[in-house]
Amino acid sequence: MENTILTQALIILLLPLAAFVIQIFFGKRLPRQGDWLPTSTMFIGLILAILIFGQVLRNYDAGFKINRTFEWIRLGSINLSFGLLIDNLTAVMLVIVTLVSALVHLFSIAYMHGDVRYSRYFAYLALFTFSMLGLVLVDNFFGIYIFWELVGLSSYLLIGHWYEKKSASDAAIKAFITTRIGDIGMFIGIMIIFATLGTFNFDEVFAGVAAGDKLNGGMLTLAGILIFFGAIGKSAQFPLHVWLPDAMEGPTPVSALIHAATMVAAGVYLVGRTYVFYSADALLFIGITGAITAFIAATIALTQMDIKKVMAYSTISQLGYMIAALGVGGYMAGLFHLMTHAFFKALLFLGSGSVIHAMHHAYHELHDHHSDPQDMRNMGGMRAKMPVTFITMLLATCAISGVPFFAGFFSKDAILAAALETAMTSHNPTHLVIFIVLLACAGITAFYMFRLVYLTFFGAPAKHEVHHHIHESPTVMTVPLIVLGVLSVAGGYGHWFEDLVTKPNLAAYATTGVMPPEVAREAGHDVSHTAHTMAMWLSIGVAGLGILLATAFYYWKKFSADAMAERFKPIYNFLLNKWYFDDLYAKTALAGTHLISRASAWLDLKVVDGLVNSVAKVTVLGSRLSGWHDNRIVDGLVNLTANVVGWFGATLREVQTGRVQNYILMALGAVVLLYVLQLAFA
């Protein structure tokens, strides 16, 4: 069975890579520009993932694990290995990634029809899926980092698909650079692990942490927080959350793929996969970060009118939920919500894509190229025109809002129960604050999601001429909605996820203090049962209150949202401007970067170039002086010597006549001269 599962997993991994290579080089030459190739490979991968999942369920073992490792690089005493790891968590993640990816590929066939870079779009989808599957399957930190960066690269390519739009190219660059900031911290954390333990392999690292003799105490906490920085970037956690809303500039199916179940969920998966690595202090840091993120994003979503921006901030908030759950010890709850969120958020993104597609078509029919097809103020009354889209989005909205008997209710209930249980047993007031924040976010989420449904599908149409041209999306787009709609209802039933994805044995690795909520449960099972019961009823209560308020404002019209916004205008503007994070970064990080760039440019132009130019001038002057010295002194002396020699030569030439008589006369004269001189000096 192990060899069969390994083979199937390897095929799942390599199929999208092969599809990418063929599509990027030959896509335009294939029938239908090759859209069928990556789409079919995704569905083949989904079938194989379901087969693996079925085998894992049929032969259930809480400790099930298949690990195949081979030597990759050997440099002296350094030996880097690489391999595949398949366990219960991997089996679940393979189904989630391949399912959402396959449905997004199918949905894109109609949504992206006629796009100028149609074949390239599907190539990048395949590359992204390969990167995400590799991240799920590798068995070491170094491998995760490789695929982590590939996910970042492919998401950059997809977000900037319409790069001729400045907003899209800027969003792609913003996403790439912002996530790189978190990746730097992750890389440093990985290097700390390797420097202290000499390995990247998960099992060996966890064994080293359990031994506690090399990596422990503050260094272990630091390494854990730095590893988590990668998740802060990829999963859009505070303060690196600012890239995700702008990433909505990419095609809507890309938003469903990247921002629902895969890329942004990679950070949650990373924390879950390496859960035993985090100390109690690191987990508290993770929990606080998640709670802050969930609250900030939820409050911003209250004021957004762009349907995709609402989804974007909702995604950030739900990711904060998952991260906070892991931080308070809700290992199963956080990963469970990762799965259910993949279903209902992918549906919400694809449903909003269906709405945008219909609006865009209507504007095209009216030759209106200026109105925004994503602005909910231009919608209204669309449920009769788009019944499938409406019903499926309503199901997803109930799921994300935590309405009982929907998938999101079970996972949210598990998160709140874990947070409350930890607050009751840890005696740390911070855990209680985290629970209260998450509870408040549940109510806010229900409010802004039903606000979206009422503004889009209920009431009178904002523009009757546009409404006349609205119609349901084609079957190739509605089938994925129906599949995800079923999963948004049924995906959370039973205890199969809790039984399958069991929490690791934290006690074996808790070298720096016991991790929550394993802390001193004085009341034992009673605390767990009480926390679960209280959390469930509180969750239902706040969700019901949020839905009731949304209904009162946007369906019954008992209150005016505009009047309320005017009454609390400072708060409304604060939320509308996204807590001024973009402005803050523009005036600090961006302004600082521009200042440094200008200072560097001045230094380069004035100092460096000035020195270079000064040296050049000195060199030119020196060359001129050297030329004068060479021409006047050196050449002068040489010429003088030559002239003197020439003069003597010319003079002697007059003496040498060639006549013997003259030579005898000269010799006689010399004798006479010598005789006279002798007499004179005698």
Side-chain angles (χ1 to χ4, degrees), residues 49-366:
I50 293 173
L51 289 176
I52 292 175
F53 184 71
Q55 293 177 74
V56 170
L57 280 181
R58 188 168 58 251
N59 305 285
Y60 173 68
D61 177 8
F64 165 75
K65 183 168 72 172
I66 301 174
N67 192 190
R68 289 292 184 274
T69 303
F70 63 90
E71 185 178 297
W72 184 32
I73 299 174
R74 179 179 289 276
L75 299 172
S77 60
I78 299 175
N79 180 22
L80 298 182
S81 61
F82 206 87
L84 299 181
L85 170 63
I86 303 172
D87 58 7
N88 294 336
L89 177 58
T90 306
V92 174
M93 289 300 298
L94 286 176
V95 173
I96 293 173
V97 174
T98 54
L99 173 64
V100 175
S101 180
L103 294 177
V104 166
H105 275 74
L106 183 63
F107 186 91
S108 298
I109 291 174
Y111 189 89
M112 298 298 291
H113 179 70
D115 188 83
V116 66
R117 286 178 289 276
Y118 188 73
S119 63
R120 187 186 298 182
Y121 169 82
F122 279 93
Y124 291 158
L125 280 185
L127 176 62
F128 180 89
T129 306
F130 162 73
S131 305
M132 190 64 202
L133 289 170
L135 193 153
V136 169
L137 285 167
V138 292
D139 68 343
N140 62 83
F141 281 100
F142 192 70
I144 272 198
Y145 189 76
I146 292 173
F147 286 105
W148 196 265
E149 294 304 309
L150 278 175
V151 166
L153 171 64
S154 50
S155 65
Y156 163 79
L157 296 171
L158 286 169
I159 293 168
H161 176 72
W162 291 317
Y163 56 78
E164 62 274 10
K165 290 171 53 182
K166 189 177 186 302
S167 57
S169 62
D170 288 348
I173 294 170
K174 184 176 183 179
F176 190 81
I177 293 176
T178 305
T179 54
R180 288 295 78 70
I181 295 171
D183 294 351
I184 292 172
M186 179 182 177
F187 181 78
I188 296 172
I190 291 174
M191 289 300 102
I192 290 175
I193 293 171
F194 187 76
T196 53
L197 300 177
T199 181
F200 293 116
N201 184 271
F202 288 145
D203 288 341
E204 294 174 0
V205 169
F206 299 155
V209 172
D213 55 343
K214 293 183 179 179
L215 186 58
N216 52 39
M219 187 57 70
L220 176 62
T221 298
L222 176 62
I225 291 175
L226 287 171
I227 293 291
F228 176 62
F229 275 14
I232 290 177
K234 282 288 191 293
S235 290
Q237 297 296 290
F238 168 85
L240 300 181
H241 63 283
V242 293
W243 67 267
L244 194 145
D246 289 1
M248 297 299 108
E249 289 293 337
T252 301
V254 169
S255 301
L257 181 63
I258 294 179
H259 307 134
T262 50
M263 174 178 165
V264 293
V268 182
Y269 170 78
L270 173 66
V271 176
R273 170 60 70 195
T274 60
Y275 198 63
V276 297
F277 179 75
Y278 299 99
S279 67
D281 291 335
L283 281 179
L284 183 60
F285 178 85
I286 291 171
I288 293 171
T289 302
I292 292 173
T293 304
F295 182 73
I296 289 175
T299 55
I300 294 174
L302 289 170
T303 60
Q304 300 301 305
M305 282 299 178
D306 186 310
I307 189 170
K308 286 182 68 176
K309 288 291 179 68
V310 176
M311 299 299 178
Y313 284 105
S314 170
T315 298
I316 297 173
S317 182
Q318 295 304 303
L319 290 168
Y321 239 85
M322 301 173 209
I323 291 293
L326 293 169
V328 298
Y331 175 84
M332 184 280 301
L335 295 176
F336 187 23
H337 198 58
L338 169 64
M339 184 195 71
T340 59
H341 177 265
F343 299 149
F344 58 69
K345 185 52 63 68
L347 172 54
L348 287 169
F349 269 115
L350 294 182
S352 64
S354 178
V355 171
I356 294 167
H357 181 267
M359 293 289 293
H360 188 273
H361 175 77
Y363 286 137
H364 180 74
E365 292 289 326
L366 295 169

Side-chain angles (χ1 to χ4, degrees), residues 337-526:
H337 198 58
L338 169 64
M339 184 195 71
T340 59
H341 177 265
F343 299 149
F344 58 69
K345 185 52 63 68
L347 172 54
L348 287 169
F349 269 115
L350 294 182
S352 64
S354 178
V355 171
I356 294 167
H357 181 267
M359 293 289 293
H360 188 273
H361 175 77
Y363 286 137
H364 180 74
E365 292 289 326
L366 295 169
H367 304 288
D368 182 354
H369 304 292
H370 302 289
S371 298
D372 185 358
Q374 298 179 192
D375 193 330
M376 293 186 293
R377 287 168 294 195
N378 296 331
M379 301 177 188
M382 297 177 69
R383 70 183 187 278
K385 292 279 190 172
M386 306 182 71
V388 176
T389 301
F390 163 65
I391 292 172
T392 53
M393 284 195 71
L394 181 61
L395 295 177
T397 300
C398 290
I400 194 175
S401 301
V403 175
F405 310 116
F406 288 82
F409 166 75
F410 298 102
S411 55
K412 275 196 170 185
D413 176 52
I415 290 175
L416 291 172
L420 182 58
E421 181 181 355
T422 301
M424 295 171 67
T425 57
S426 69
H427 307 297
N428 186 339
T430 305
H431 288 132
L432 180 59
V433 173
I434 291 174
F435 168 74
I436 294 172
V437 169
L438 295 181
L439 186 64
C441 290
I444 297 172
T445 300
F447 178 85
Y448 68 68
M449 286 308 305
F450 271 88
R451 166 181 175 265
L452 180 148
V453 169
Y454 290 136
L455 288 174
T456 304
F457 295 104
F458 288 84
K463 298 181 178 180
H464 289 280
E465 67 278 9
V466 175
H467 186 263
H468 177 72
H469 292 279
I470 296 292
H471 58 78
E472 184 61 90
S473 297
T475 304
V476 73
M477 293 174 66
T478 55
V479 167
L481 300 183
I482 294 170
V483 173
L484 290 169
V486 172
L487 292 172
S488 295
V489 177
Y493 276 88
H495 296 282
W496 66 269
F497 189 93
E498 184 176 358
D499 294 334
L500 187 66
V501 184
T502 55
K503 182 176 291 188
N505 181 16
L506 301 180
Y509 303 97
T511 58
T512 59
V514 183
M515 302 181 186
E518 273 61 44
V519 284
R521 291 180 176 169
E522 296 90 349
H525 175 73
D526 291 339

